[in-house]
C-alpha cells in the first residue's frame, strides 16, 4: 500500500484514491475568472470551518518558492491564462491536504480546480472523490469589470486585459467542459454570481443547508 508520506513531484500513479470520502471531504469551487470564488470561500471558511485551498494561490506560492524547479513554467502558463500541467497542481493540492489533515482539518474547499478534464479525473481517481461542485455563474462583462478593478491593487501578473481575455478563452474552451461533465452526473450546485457578495452568499448558504451541511455558528 502507498505510504501517506511526502513524495517528490510528479504525482505517483495509484490504484485507488489516497483518501476515502470519510477521510477527506472535498467541495470543488468553480466559476470563471472574477466570478467570486475566493470571496465566497472566505465566508464559508469563517462560518463552516472549511480549509480553503486555491489552486492558483498554491501555484503562485510554488512559483515564488526559492529553488522550485517549476517556477518559470508556472509563471509562463499563468501569464498566458493556460492550465499548468496537472501533475504539478494535483501534487501541490495533495501536499496541502495532507498538511491540513495532519493538523486536524479534513474539510476542503478546492477553489479554481479542476479546470481541465484530465485534472478532474486524476484528482478523483488518485486523491479523493469530490462531494459536489459549487459553480458560480457570472457573465463575462461583469467578470471583466471585477478583474480590471482588482488589477489596480492585486499585484497579479494576469489581472491585465490581455491575460484576462486569454483566461476567459481557456475557461470557455477547457474549464466549462468539466462543469458540464459534473453537471451531467448531477453533481453541480449552480449559483448566480452577478449580485453583491452578501446576496450571493445567502444562496450558497441555502444550498449548503439543503445538502445537510451546517454552519459552526
Ligand atoms: N491555474 C492552473 N491550474 C489550476 C488552477 C489555476 O494552471 O488548476 C493557473 C491558470 O493559469 C490560471 C491561473 O493559475 O489562469 C490563476 O488562477 P486563479 O484561480 O488564481 O484565478 P481566478 O480564477 O481566481 O481569477
Ligand atoms: Mg481566485
Amino acid at each position: 500500500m502507498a505510504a501517506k508520506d511526502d513524495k517528490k513531484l510528479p504525482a505517483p500513479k495509484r490504484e485507488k484514491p489516497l483518501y476515502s470520502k470519510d477521510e477527506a471531504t472535498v467541495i470543488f469551487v468553480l466559476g470563471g475568472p472574477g466570478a467570486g470564488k475566493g470571496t465566497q470561500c472566505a465566508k464559508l471558511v469563517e462560518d463552516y470551518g472549511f480549509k480553503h485551498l486555491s489552486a492558483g494561490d498554491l501555484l503562485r506560492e510554488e512559483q515564488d518558492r526559492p529553488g522550485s524547479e517549476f517556477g518559470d513554467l508556472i509563471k509562463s502558463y499563468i501569464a498566458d491564462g493556460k492550465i499548468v500541467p496537472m501533475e504539478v497542481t494535483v501534487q501541490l493540492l495533495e501536499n496541502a491536504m495532507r498538511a491540513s489533515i495532519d493538523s486536524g482539518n479534513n474539510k476542503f474547499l478546492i477553489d479554481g480546480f479542476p479546470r481541465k478534464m484530465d485534472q478532474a479525473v486524476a484528482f478523483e481517481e488518485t486523491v479523493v472523490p469530490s462531494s459536489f461542485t459549487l459553480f458560480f455563474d457570472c457573465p463575462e462583462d461583469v467578470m471583466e469589470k471585477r478583474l480590471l478593478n482588482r488589477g489596480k491593487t492585486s499585484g497579479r501578473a494576469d489581472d491585465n486585459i490581455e491575460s484576462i481575455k486569454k483566461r476567459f478563452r481557456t475557461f470557455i474552451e477547457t474549464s466549462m467542459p468539466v462543469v458540464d461533465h459534473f453537471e451531467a452526473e448531477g453533481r453541480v450546485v449552480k449559483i448566480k454570481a452577478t449580485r453583491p457578495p452578501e446576496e450571493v452568499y445567502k444562496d450558497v448558504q441555502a444550498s449548503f443547508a439543503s445538502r445537510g451541511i451546517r454552519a459552526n455558528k
Side-chain angles (χ1 to χ4, degrees):
M1 210 184 94
K4 295 182 184 185
D5 56 3
D6 279 338
K7 291 193 186 71
K8 287 252 185 276
L9 300 168
K13 291 241 186 310
R14 287 197 194 95
E15 302 282 310
K16 66 183 188 67
L18 182 60
Y19 300 113
S20 69
K21 281 181 141 186
D22 292 331
E23 292 171 315
T25 302
V26 163
I27 298 170
F28 291 141
V29 182
L30 295 178
K37 303 180 294 289
T39 304
Q40 296 297 321
C41 282
K43 293 177 185 297
L44 288 167
V45 165
E46 179 72 19
D47 293 340
Y48 294 78
F50 285 100
K51 174 73 180 173
H52 176 217
L53 297 179
S54 155
D57 289 350
L58 290 170
L59 287 166
R60 282 182 285 272
E61 257 171 49
E62 177 66 19
Q63 176 195 303
D64 296 339
R65 189 173 63 82
S68 169
E69 58 186 301
F70 302 109
D72 291 342
L73 176 136
I74 293 172
K75 195 176 198 158
S76 73
Y77 273 82
I78 288 185
D80 264 351
K82 290 194 305 207
I83 308 301
V84 173
M86 64 148 182
E87 288 78 8
V88 176
T89 316
V90 170
Q91 188 67 48
L92 291 171
L93 283 166
E94 187 183 308
N95 293 350
M97 286 177 66
R98 183 183 289 114
S100 177
I101 290 171
D102 287 350
S103 60
N105 193 344
N106 67 351
K107 292 182 359 177
F108 299 96
L109 295 171
I110 299 198
D111 164 1
F113 177 97
R115 282 195 159 56
K116 194 172 171 181
M117 256 337 277
D118 66 346
Q119 294 179 326
V121 172
F123 184 91
E124 293 205 304
E125 282 183 2
T126 68
V127 184
V128 64
S130 65
S131 300
F132 62 92
T133 293
L134 189 58
F135 174 61
F136 292 104
D137 197 9
C138 194
E140 250 179 44
D141 56 335
V142 175
M143 297 196 289
E144 185 178 305
K145 276 200 201 95
R146 290 177 182 172
L147 290 171
L148 289 173
N149 209 32
R150 181 174 88 182
K152 293 175 192 160
T153 54
S154 70
R156 272 179 55 163
D158 59 350
D159 282 345
N160 59 77
I161 193 67
E162 294 77 32
S163 290
I164 289 169
K165 295 284 184 205
K166 291 177 184 169
R167 288 157 70 195
F168 284 160
R169 202 186 163 92
T170 300
F171 174 66
I172 291 168
E173 290 176 354
T174 311
S175 306
M176 268 318 283
V178 177
V179 178
D180 294 341
H181 166 81
F182 286 139
E183 186 151 42
E185 295 178 340
R187 302 169 68 204
V188 174
V189 172
K190 197 182 268 194
I191 306 281
K192 278 215 191 81
T194 22
R195 292 154 307 147
E198 284 306 329
E199 301 286 312
V200 174
Y201 188 55
K202 281 181 196 149
D203 286 356
V204 173
Q205 286 191 295
S207 74
F208 275 38
S210 74
R211 292 188 157 246
I213 305 172
R214 274 184 294 275
N216 293 338
K217 53 183 180 188

